[in-house]
Amino acid sequence: IEEARTLVQRFNAGALPAPITLINQQTINADLGEDSLQKALFAGMAGTILVIIFMIGYYRKFGVYASIALIMYITLTLAVFKLIPITLTLAGIAGLILSIGMAVDANILIFERTKEELKKGLKYQEAVEEGFKRAWTSIRDSNITTIITAIILYYATSSFVQGFALALLVGVLISMFSAITITRTLLRVFVTKDLKTNT
């Protein structure tokens, strides 16, 4: 209340004598925000499902591993959001969805590098390790620039933008962990199983 009064005083201090006429007045209840939140969550889920379908269709086995890693990433991120806690406003959901896209991007880089190594004639297990090694520098650099941007946004802004920056920062940090640890572990385990089955 005190801040509102101060703001009114500041406006009045430099105000010009202009008439104000009430043209229209509306009351908006909380349902509008809830509706927008539901739409944003639906868009996020639909986008994730479409990405999973694309990954499996294009990368086959690799796509299945990436999809498992992506679901684990989303679960882990939401758990961290709950622990910190981060309120999932529309801006926070936008940050989360953007970080999901970056997590998928990391997997795509890894798979493309792995495919290149397989074309060179490397064995499956060697190609996976080399693919991770070669993709890591690109993943690291792109994520570090995003982290720097998110930190600047968090400290230089306020309100919704700050919530977006925090959600994006946490999401990107977890996506790096997910791409390098979860996806790598899944590939190593299943590659070893495939090799044992084939022999």
Side-chain angles (χ1 to χ4, degrees):
I1 294 172
E2 192 59 40
E3 285 180 10
R5 285 176 182 161
T6 305
L7 191 62
V8 169
Q9 286 172 2
R10 286 175 183 169
F11 279 136
N12 289 336
L16 294 170
I20 296 174
T21 307
L22 180 64
I23 297 171
N24 189 15
Q25 183 175 343
Q26 288 183 330
T27 303
I28 299 171
N29 60 20
D31 290 343
L32 182 67
E34 187 179 345
D35 183 53
S36 299
L37 189 64
Q38 293 300 323
K39 284 179 180 177
L41 288 171
F42 175 77
M45 285 190 291
T48 303
I49 290 166
L50 287 172
V51 165
I52 287 171
I53 292 167
F54 169 77
M55 293 286 280
I56 293 171
Y58 191 81
Y59 290 105
R60 307 297 178 190
K61 270 188 180 180
F62 282 154
V64 173
Y65 305 149
S67 300
I68 294 167
L70 184 63
I71 292 166
M72 290 173 73
Y73 160 75
I74 294 169
T75 306
L76 186 61
T77 305
L78 291 173
V80 172
F81 280 12
K82 185 73 175 173
L83 288 171
I84 290 180
I86 297 173
T87 305
L88 276 180
T89 59
L90 289 176
I93 291 170
L96 173 63
I97 291 170
L98 184 58
S99 66
I100 289 170
M102 294 193 72
V104 173
D105 183 52
N107 284 323
I108 288 171
L109 281 171
I110 292 163
F111 297 156
E112 288 298 333
R113 293 293 189 185
T114 302
K115 282 167 71 177
E116 286 175 13
E117 298 306 318
L118 285 169
K119 284 178 184 176
K120 288 180 183 177
L122 285 179
K123 291 180 181 178
Y124 196 76
Q125 199 163 8
E126 292 172 354
V128 168
E129 293 300 325
E130 193 63 28
F132 270 98
K133 195 183 295 181
R134 292 187 63 196
W136 166 242
T137 51
S138 300
I139 295 168
R140 180 197 62 201
D141 293 347
S142 64
N143 281 309
I144 285 173
T145 53
T146 305
I147 288 166
I148 291 168
T149 306
I151 291 169
I152 292 168
L153 278 174
Y154 184 78
Y155 284 105
T157 60
S158 60
S159 188
F160 296 113
V161 180
Q162 202 172 44
F164 168 80
L166 182 59
L168 179 62
L169 177 63
V170 172
V172 168
L173 289 171
I174 298 171
S175 76
M176 287 179 74
F177 169 78
S178 171
I180 300 303
T181 308
I182 298 174
T183 308
R184 194 172 196 168
T185 304
L186 284 171
L187 284 175
R188 279 175 174 171
V189 168
F190 286 108
V191 164
T192 306
K193 282 185 178 179
D194 287 344
L195 289 172
K196 285 180 179 177
T197 304
N198 293 332
T199 53

